Structure formats: structure tokens, C-alpha cells
């Protein structure tokens, strides 16, 4: 479900040609029309990137902070979704009323003028367990992109 209200501020700063910083801060309200549930979420991100010839290195930290973040699965809107990549455990969906932080570190190599290979390590850190079990996810993504 798309948010009914959305506000987002974004900033990008370049220091010379090789170093860039970026970040955003935003708020989403999913407006489920139920006064008994919380359906607001604050989102944020900060990243740094360094380019050196055909190589690119970067790191990013981002977060998801719902208004109700006690991790008990009660009182949160059904309109909210799991922002990370955790899968259900034992048939139970990950509780969405919790803070999630994502840590990413990666690099890339442009080996043709418009073709590059990228790799990223990702850690989705769910700050509260779901039914007593951690929902954290560690992963590695390898991708190739091209512009035609």
C-alpha cells in the first residue's frame, strides 16, 4: 500500500569529482482510517561514496522507525509492510512495529564505458525479535548494469 501522506528532504554534496555524500529524512503516513492503530513511519538514510578511476566504493546506513515500535505486533496498522528482506518464520510474518536499520557496504568496477559490475554486503538489523527469534538478515548482492 502506498502512503497517503509523504514528506521527504534530500541532500547531496560532492567534494571534488571523487567524493560524494548524500542523505534524506522523511515521514510517511499510511492512513488506514483506524484511530486505534499507528500508521506513521520516519525514514532516513546517510551514505558516502568514493570514485577512483574505474572503481567505486561506498557505504550506506538507513532506517525505518514506525510510530509504534515496541515489537509486539499489536496496535500497528495493517497498511505497514516489512521494509527489509526478512522472510516469515514458522509461518509468522516479521512484526512491522519495530525499528529496522540497514547497513550496506559495497564496491563497483566499470569495465566498459557503460557497463559495470557491483557487489554489496547488506545487513538488515531488526531491533526486536519476532516470537523470540531474531529476524536479522545478512546478504550479498552481485549485479551487473549497462546503459544502452
Amino acid at each position: 500500500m502506498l502512503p497517503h501522506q509523504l514528506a521527504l528532504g534530500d541532500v547531496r554534496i560532492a567534494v571534488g569529482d571523487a567524493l560524494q555524500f548524500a542523505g534524506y529524512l522523511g515521514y510517511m503516513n499510511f492512513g488506514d482510517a483506524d484511530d486505534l492503530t499507528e500508521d506513521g513511519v520516519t525514514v532516513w538514510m546517510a551514505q558516502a561514496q568514493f570514485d577512483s578511476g574505474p572503481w567505486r566504493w561506498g557505504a550506506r546506513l538507513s532506517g525505518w522507525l514506525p510510530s509504534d515500535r515496541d515489537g509486539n505486533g499489536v496496535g500497528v496498522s495493517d497498511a505497514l509492510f516489512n521494509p527489509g528482506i526478512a522472510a516469515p518464520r514458522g509461518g509468522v510474518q516479521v512484526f512491522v512495529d519495530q525499528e529496522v536499520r540497514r547497513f550496506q557496504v559495497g564496491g563497483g568496477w566499470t569495465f566498459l564505458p557503460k557497463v559495470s559490475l557491483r557487489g554489496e554486503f547488506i545487513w538488515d538489523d531488526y531491533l526486536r525479535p519476532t516470537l523470540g527469534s531474531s529476524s536479522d538478515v545478512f546478504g550479498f548482492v552481485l549485479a551487473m548494469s549497462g546503459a544502452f
Side-chain angles (χ1 to χ4, degrees), residues 1-127:
M1 172 178 257
L2 294 174
H4 288 250
Q5 298 172 337
L6 172 66
L8 186 70
D10 181 75
V11 65
R12 298 186 180 275
I13 299 170
V15 180
D17 292 333
L19 186 60
Q20 296 111 36
F21 298 97
Y24 66 74
L25 178 64
Y27 181 79
M28 298 183 290
N29 188 318
F30 288 84
D32 66 359
D34 183 348
D35 292 337
L36 299 176
T37 63
E38 297 283 340
D39 50 9
V41 178
T42 300
V43 294
W44 58 270
M45 182 274 296
Q47 80 175 28
Q49 179 176 302
F50 179 74
D51 296 334
S52 177
W55 298 97
R56 173 178 290 172
W57 306 101
R60 177 182 300 148
L61 176 61
S62 56
W64 167 272
L65 283 78
S67 301
D68 173 6
R69 54 181 175 266
D70 57 13
N72 66 4
V74 177
V76 65
S77 172
D78 287 338
L80 265 65
F81 55 89
N82 173 16
I85 54 179
R89 298 190 179 236
V92 176
Q93 294 291 331
V94 173
F95 291 157
V96 296
D97 60 340
Q98 63 176 304
E99 183 177 352
V100 181
R101 293 185 198 142
R102 174 174 282 181
F103 302 88
Q104 293 172 253
V105 176
W109 173 49
T110 301
F111 56 93
L112 292 172
K114 295 187 177 186
V115 181
S116 63
L117 184 66
R118 293 186 54 109
E120 277 192 28
F121 170 77
I122 299 171
W123 170 28
D124 277 357
D125 181 18
Y126 290 79
L127 296 186

